[in-house]
Amino acid sequence: MKIINTDLQARAVLQLVTATALFFAGTLIFGYRLLEPTQQLVYHSISSSFQVLMIAIGGSVLLRSYKREHKHYRRFASLLAALAVLAIIDGSTGSIFDHFDAQIPVYLYLIYLPLALSLLPIFPPAEQRRAWQQEFIKLNAGYALGVASLSFTFLLLHLFLKSPLVAKHPTGSLVICVTGILAGVAIYSTHYRGRRPLPRLSNASANFTSLAIFVVLIFGLGMFHSDMSGLKLKGDRAIKQLRDSRIALGESNIKLFERLGERWKLYPYAAHSRLMEVDINAYLQHIDYLDALLLVSPDNEVVFERLKPSRPSYLDEMMTDPVVRQALEQPPQATQLIVPMFAVESLSAKAIVRVAVDFVEPEGTADSGVYSLLALLDVRSMLDSTLVNNMETDIETYTEVMPGAWMDRSGFWISASTRDYLEETAIRLKLDSMDMYYSKGAPVMAYLYKLDNLQETSNLQMLIVLGGISLVLLVVLAVERNVTLEVQGKQLFYQAHHDALTGLMNRSSIEEYIGRHFHDSQDVTVLFIDLDGFTLINDSLGLHVGDAILIQLAERLQGQQPRRSELARFASDEFILVLQGAVNFPERVSTLAQDIMLTVAQPYRINEHKIYLTASVGVAHQTGDVRSPLELIQRADMAMHQAKRLGYNHVQEYDKSMAQRLLSTTAMRSNLQEAIEQDELELHYQPIVRCNDQQRVQVEALLRWQQQDGSYIPPSEFIPLAEMTGQIVPLSEWVFRRACHDAVKLQQSASKLRMSVNISALHFNRANFVDFVLHTLAETGCQAQWLELELTESILLEGTQYAIERLQALRTYGLTIALDDFGTGFSSLSCLKRLPIDTVKIDRSFIAGIRHHKSDRVLVDSVIKIAQSLDFAVLAEGIETRQQAEFVSDLGCNYMQGYYFGRPVPFKNL
């Protein structure tokens, strides 16, 4: 089962959420730019290059991660990464698409350059990368994490300093910081995965992430739009208030001085000077912002200058000012507002109101022309009492009084430092014009001068958006964990009930299945299928070949699986087919079993191998005497083993005798173990005689097992059982020790007979067999030349060379070797010349037939001649009659053994 790694899963969720947020944020901001083209310095808080960078990085990460199996999507992801590089170049060299400057530092674009380059297909896929390439990718992932950490630090500085740090607009500065966090985390999650791909998240998580991130960003964009719309409205209102106050103030002042000019026109000539002085004194005394009054004749000569106390004379500055002189050269008609050049160069603005005065001349006097009344006003003092100057606001308004000369709402000219602040820091809200009856189209601008409140608002908005993204991240992570747990639960349940290799039901689940129907339908049939010689395939061709065979076989058996049945892999090469409703149709079951054997027998092609197999099938039906489901399986298993005993590739149906034999075998195994442990076994000895004089020269030790009633269990029954259960090794060791003890006694007697001991092939092939023999000889005091070891031809099955080397080692120490039961095993006469043996024992089955079968006589004759030509002694077993003894003696046989010369007897009866 593939368990999703928690760390990889968390990175996959981080990658999905951050890349989606980055892509949607760039897309929405770019779309908002197109849909809201007005007031660009308010709404377009970051450059178009940076917006494209956000879209390209986010889209490239998403396509690389979630569409990586599609070639076209991978190419599109690479194109997006290249677009990100181009956006960085465009932004760092000055955007060609923006006519405003978002004041994003060049180094910020360059910081994103390695992130964008890492998304290009420079290196092969993770599983094909070299070590240095993998390390480079991991280094880039570390760099991405550093960018995210640095961006987060700048985000915190925004919260504490309440000032934009990396862009002109507070929101734009925050967007750049958040972009660094999102892009850094997304690319870190993409690259820092080693050679293991990130797990694919569920479609539900991807859809929820897209929808939730979109809603969060729309909400954040809505807050930004509402805030910017409010600022725009405040800018409009500030300009309107400025316009209204300027119009009202201008009209009142113009009318004030126009009334003065009208009065002067009406004064009688005789009292003209006196009355004018009274008006001048009153105006200078009561109008705070009036600095001076000048009367200029039609030929531009100053008639008089009257000043407010403590004011210096403006006569020279005014009369030499080019703007004033140009205005005076024009005949006075309507009232004019003049901004002199010298007033622009001072801190506080000055303005001149020119009013035409046509004095009444005495009768008979020629008209001297129209005079000009010049009122020099201090604009700062004049505006100080107006309503607009008393408002507490972060918004400042500026009016262009003359080309290149801007005045703030308080009447001060914009200084160079103020102009730099407006260009670099303040945000322009509105550019408009102001029309009054004495001036038309005067440009006016509204700026957000103080950014503290906007920064606080932007911080709050960005924290809300980040909180929404974080909430989406937590929800998606929780959903994925739940999905993972659910998937793992299903996988664990599947594994608990199915075989991992074949996908079939396993032992526990098939037992549960049988148990359910065993009591419900009470009509269950079990077919136990076991492959013949499958272990040899695993050992010779490898486990992978064996696994491939089992997979193919499972598919074949499923194809033959009848209705109302279940198939399971019970163990290594054992399968169980459970049928319902087949108890009363044994012929159908038999036909199905035969079909299964034919299916198994079809060749298996695994790579270059073509393999043939057979199967043994045991069948057991549910009957009234079956007490449990496990007993039904056990009966099918017994039937299968009986089929193997009958020669493999066979179908056998269970019968009661199998259980009886099994119980007898089980009891015999236990009793045999007790007999070995309690030393209840004994050796009997059968004499071996020379053929030429029929003198006893040797005895063979034969194992006997006596029961309590005095009867003996034949060796043909318990020896195969011991070989099957592994008890043959301790049994063989016991026989050899006892034989050594008795061999010593024989040498101490008058007969001095040698001892022949049978050795099991399993015992002979143990690694420590030679050491065991030597240790036992030393322990018992038996000499090697007193013993002969009898081995069957089965020693050749485990490797002829290995057996030869071991036999040579034994003969080196003085033991003689006899090949027992020659002719019944797997060896041939050609093998005799290679074996280091001393005696060949002809099996009794050939001796028994020499009287009636010519072939047996010829075979015995041939064996004797060939063995003696190889310097082997020949011993004939099973001599039971005088005729047999004479026959083998005439053929030149060396030794004889059989009932004719004596039955096996206990040692005391020798």
Side-chain angles (χ1 to χ4, degrees), residues 527-542:
L527 278 71
F528 204 106
I529 307 164
D530 184 83
L531 300 180
D532 300 327
F534 184 75
T535 303
L536 181 61
I537 293 176
N538 277 338
D539 294 341
S540 59
L541 301 181

Side-chain angles (χ1 to χ4, degrees), residues 723 728 759-766 791-792 794-795 798:
E723 290 178 344
I728 190 66
I759 300 296
S760 166
L762 291 176
H763 190 197
F764 175 81
N765 288 312
R766 289 291 178 95
L791 296 158
T792 62
S794 58
I795 61 170
E798 300 298 331

Side-chain angles (χ1 to χ4, degrees), residues 579-633:
L579 307 176
Q580 297 183 52
V583 172
N584 297 323
F585 303 96
E587 67 284 353
R588 294 182 184 177
V589 176
S590 177
T591 301
L592 176 61
Q594 294 294 336
D595 292 340
I596 288 174
M597 287 198 304
L598 291 176
T599 299
V600 174
Q602 296 300 316
Y604 300 85
R605 297 186 179 273
I606 311 298
N607 299 327
E608 70 278 6
H609 304 292
K610 185 177 181 181
I611 303 167
Y612 290 88
L613 284 174
T614 60
S616 299
V617 182
V619 180
H621 298 283
Q622 183 178 358
T623 57
D625 60 339
V626 181
R627 294 179 294 273
S628 67
L630 290 180
E631 185 178 351
L632 185 62
I633 297 175

Side-chain angles (χ1 to χ4, degrees), residues 387-593:
L387 177 62
V388 68
N389 289 332
N390 292 329
M391 292 177 57
E392 289 294 334
T393 178
D394 295 337
I395 299 175
E396 290 287 348
T397 54
Y398 302 91
T399 307
E400 190 177 33
V401 178
M402 58 185 302
W406 291 83
M407 180 188 298
D408 63 14
R409 65 190 174 105
S410 299
F412 291 103
W413 298 113
I414 298 179
S415 63
S417 60
T418 303
R419 186 181 298 275
D420 293 340
Y421 179 82
L422 293 178
E423 292 179 356
E424 300 295 331
T425 305
I427 298 176
R428 189 172 70 186
L429 302 179
K430 189 174 180 62
L431 173 64
D432 207 343
S433 61
M434 184 168 57
D435 294 333
M436 294 182 288
Y437 74 94
Y438 54 85
S439 64
K440 300 296 182 181
V444 60
M445 292 187 298
Y447 276 89
L448 182 64
Y449 195 82
K450 297 179 180 179
L451 304 182
D452 294 350
N453 292 332
L454 179 60
Q455 184 69 63
E456 290 182 357
T457 303
S458 299
N459 289 345
L460 179 60
Q461 292 172 355
M462 191 56 65
L463 288 177
I464 292 174
V465 172
L466 284 177
I469 295 175
S470 301
L471 183 60
V472 173
L473 176 65
L474 293 176
V475 171
V476 174
L477 186 58
V479 169
E480 279 302 313
R481 292 289 170 83
N482 290 335
V483 170
T484 300
L485 291 176
E486 183 179 354
V487 170
Q488 291 178 354
K490 291 181 179 179
Q491 290 176 336
L492 290 173
F493 179 83
Y494 182 87
Q495 278 198 332
H497 293 81
H498 292 80
D499 175 57
L501 179 64
T502 62
L504 301 177
M505 297 176 71
N506 59 15
R507 176 172 181 169
S508 61
S509 57
I510 198 64
E511 288 178 353
E512 292 177 3
Y513 177 82
I514 296 174
R516 288 195 304 270
H517 297 281
F518 184 85
H519 300 288
D520 294 340
S521 64
Q522 297 183 356
D523 191 354
V524 179
T525 299
V526 174
L527 278 71
F528 204 106
I529 307 164
D530 184 83
L531 300 180
D532 300 327
F534 184 75
T535 303
L536 181 61
I537 293 176
N538 277 338
D539 294 341
S540 59
L541 301 181
L543 295 177
H544 63 286
V545 175
D547 290 344
I549 291 175
L550 293 176
I551 293 173
Q552 288 189 21
L553 177 59
E555 294 174 352
R556 293 182 186 181
L557 293 178
Q558 283 179 306
Q560 276 198 311
Q561 186 176 341
R563 190 170 55 88
R564 297 181 63 193
S565 67
E566 281 294 342
L567 180 65
R569 183 187 178 197
F570 194 73
S572 174
D573 59 339
E574 298 173 344
F575 295 84
I576 281 184
L577 181 62
V578 181
L579 307 176
Q580 297 183 52
V583 172
N584 297 323
F585 303 96
E587 67 284 353
R588 294 182 184 177
V589 176
S590 177
T591 301
L592 176 61

Side-chain angles (χ1 to χ4, degrees), residues 46-108:
I46 56 177
S47 67
S48 58
S49 301
F50 202 87
Q51 295 165 20
V52 172
L53 174 65
M54 296 169 64
I55 297 172
I57 291 181
S60 180
V61 171
L62 288 175
L63 290 177
R64 279 170 56 94
S65 302
Y66 297 96
K67 294 293 183 180
R68 54 179 177 259
E69 67 277 4
H70 299 290
K71 178 175 62 177
H72 298 299
Y73 284 109
R74 291 198 303 269
R75 291 177 178 174
F76 189 53
S78 301
L79 289 177
L80 285 177
L83 180 62
V85 175
L86 294 177
I88 292 171
I89 296 174
D90 178 68
S92 58
T93 57
S95 177
I96 62 174
F97 301 103
D98 299 327
H99 62 274
F100 64 91
D101 186 8
Q103 298 183 9
I104 302 175
V106 175
Y107 68 83
L108 278 180

Side-chain angles (χ1 to χ4, degrees), residues 184-364:
V185 172
I187 294 179
Y188 166 77
S189 301
T190 300
H191 291 326
Y192 197 79
R193 61 186 184 186
R195 302 186 185 275
R196 295 179 59 190
L198 290 177
R200 187 177 299 278
L201 303 179
S202 63
N203 291 331
S205 295
N207 295 334
F208 172 79
T209 300
S210 301
L211 179 61
I213 291 294
F214 185 80
V215 171
V216 169
L217 294 177
I218 285 291
F219 179 75
L221 197 60
M223 290 190 296
F224 175 77
H225 175 74
S226 176
D227 191 45
M228 294 300 102
S229 297
L231 284 177
K232 180 182 176 183
L233 185 60
K234 288 180 181 180
D236 293 341
R237 190 161 47 241
I239 289 179
K240 182 179 183 300
Q241 289 175 348
L242 178 67
R243 180 189 299 115
D244 293 342
S245 64
R246 291 288 192 270
I247 292 174
L249 185 60
E251 289 180 353
S252 63
N253 287 318
I254 294 297
K255 289 179 180 179
L256 179 64
F257 290 103
E258 284 180 344
R259 286 195 299 270
L260 180 60
E262 291 295 331
R263 284 201 306 272
W264 284 6
K265 291 179 183 180
L266 300 177
Y267 286 158
Y269 183 78
H272 189 275
S273 296
R274 181 178 58 82
L275 294 175
M276 286 176 60
E277 288 296 335
V278 173
D279 289 337
I280 291 171
N281 290 332
Y283 268 63
L284 290 174
Q285 182 179 359
H286 296 290
I287 300 176
D288 296 335
Y289 50 84
L290 179 60
D291 287 349
L293 284 173
L294 285 80
L295 183 64
V296 180
S297 65
D299 56 357
N300 293 335
E301 295 294 334
V302 178
V303 178
F304 64 81
E305 179 188 19
R306 298 292 186 268
L307 299 172
K308 189 184 288 291
S310 74
R311 293 292 193 274
S313 174
Y314 295 98
L315 178 60
D316 293 337
E317 291 179 314
M318 290 179 63
M319 297 313 294
T320 59
D321 191 276
V323 178
V324 177
R325 289 187 64 84
Q326 183 180 4
L328 290 176
E329 289 176 358
Q330 302 296 326
Q333 296 175 353
T335 303
Q336 289 179 283
L337 183 66
I338 303 171
V339 179
M341 186 64 70
F342 74 87
V344 177
E345 297 173 354
S346 64
L347 178 61
S348 179
K350 303 293 183 180
I352 299 174
V353 177
R354 181 189 184 192
V355 180
V357 180
D358 189 3
F359 290 104
V360 178
E361 298 293 336
E363 293 182 3

